[in-house]
Amino acid sequence: MIFLFTASYDLFWFTLIVANVFTLAHGKLSPNHYLSTCPKALFIINSAVIAAIKKETRIGASLLRLHFHDCFVNGCDGSLLLDDTPNFIGEKTATPNYNSIRGFDVVDDIKARVEKACPGVVSCADILALAARDSVVYLGGPSWTVGLGRRDSTTASRSVANTSILAPTSNLSALVSSFSAQELSLKDMVALSGMLYNF
Ligand SMILES: *[C@@H]1O[C@H](CO)[C@@H](O)[C@H](O)[C@H]1NC(C)=O
Ligand SMILES: *[C@@H]1O[C@H](CO)[C@@H](O)[C@H](O)[C@H]1NC(C)=O
């Protein structure tokens, strides 16, 4: 139940952060990006998110956290989703993510559905952004407009993930400087740190 209280407060601030920082950082994003190329994309994503939350309530918070951990490492580019291979080390196994972030199966399911409807059109980074917003809305939080048109990264950085995503042991000055590096205020920091600890 602690989750419900903290979630609604934190998500309010996360709304402002997503709207003001992550979106503005990508000036060319538009909420209508898929209007002609994949008109059903937003409906498909929303339906899949709702189905996933009905199956397990906690997944809504997990999807929001996926977006958060994606955005803190070189921007909201879907890099978090890349699996390690023999020649490539991604962010999934970085300390703050390993055995901690979850919801990849939901994102895979959504991606499969949008690919079926409009092959090669909708980015995974946009799916993460929309899934985060739709989760918050379905769980009773505020809504916000999601600018769309992110391109998926073909690279990832485990070292940046190790250092840019805060640890539960981070002290106050480390917290403040890390959020400040993302152009997030002290108020944003308090809300998002609370989210990090509780999810
Ligand atoms: C990141 O953290 C993991 C887990 O502690 C560690 O094994 C790895 O060497 C670190 N990688 C980089 C590139 O910092
Ligand atoms: C806070 O953590 C940073 C980085 O781990 C460290 O360099 C700094 O000395 C710590 N500050 C305090 C006041 O403990």
Side-chain angles (χ1 to χ4, degrees):
M1 290 308 98
I2 286 166
F3 156 74
L4 289 176
F5 280 114
T6 56
S8 58
Y9 176 79
D10 295 342
L11 299 186
F12 171 72
W13 288 109
F14 193 76
T15 297
L16 302 182
I17 291 157
V18 170
N20 294 334
V21 178
F22 295 147
T23 303
L24 282 184
H26 300 76
K28 289 186 210 137
L29 301 183
S30 158
N32 299 323
H33 186 77
Y34 298 116
L35 208 57
S36 58
T37 52
C38 195
K40 284 189 184 158
L42 273 65
F43 175 77
I44 292 169
I45 294 166
N46 185 248
S47 311
V49 166
I50 291 172
I53 295 174
K54 280 184 174 165
K55 219 163 110 189
E56 188 213 6
T57 311
R58 185 185 164 210
I59 201 71
S62 301
L63 290 170
L64 173 64
R65 189 163 177 253
L66 273 187
H67 183 41
F68 176 26
H69 280 211
D70 182 34
C71 294
F72 256 58
V73 183
N74 295 329
C76 312
D77 58 2
S79 57
L80 176 67
L81 303 172
L82 298 173
D83 287 329
D84 285 5
T85 72
N87 307 316
F88 172 83
I89 294 176
E91 294 162 20
K92 278 187 175 181
T93 51
T95 313
N97 293 332
Y98 190 59
N99 281 338
S100 171
I101 45 170
R102 55 201 295 278
F104 293 117
D105 51 336
V106 177
V107 177
D108 287 349
D109 173 58
I110 292 172
K111 179 64 172 168
R113 287 169 195 260
V114 293
E115 282 303 300
K116 205 172 164 193
C118 336
V121 172
V122 182
S123 71
C124 291
D126 279 342
I127 290 172
L128 287 178
L130 286 165
R133 192 270 313 271
D134 291 355
S135 293
V136 171
V137 171
Y138 188 70
L139 290 170
S143 188
W144 64 92
T145 302
V146 178
L148 300 168
R150 293 169 188 78
R151 304 289 299 275
D152 288 335
S153 176
T154 54
T155 62
S157 175
R158 185 157 77 161
S159 58
V160 177
N162 275 353
T163 53
S164 293
I165 304 170
L166 293 151
T169 50
S170 299
N171 63 31
L172 182 62
S173 47
L175 287 165
V176 171
S177 60
S178 167
F179 277 82
S180 169
Q182 304 289 337
E183 296 177 46
L184 298 175
S185 72
L186 195 63
K187 212 166 192 177
D188 300 332
M189 186 273 280
V190 171
L192 277 168
S193 305
M195 187 183 83
L196 194 67
Y197 293 133
N198 287 291
F199 295 169

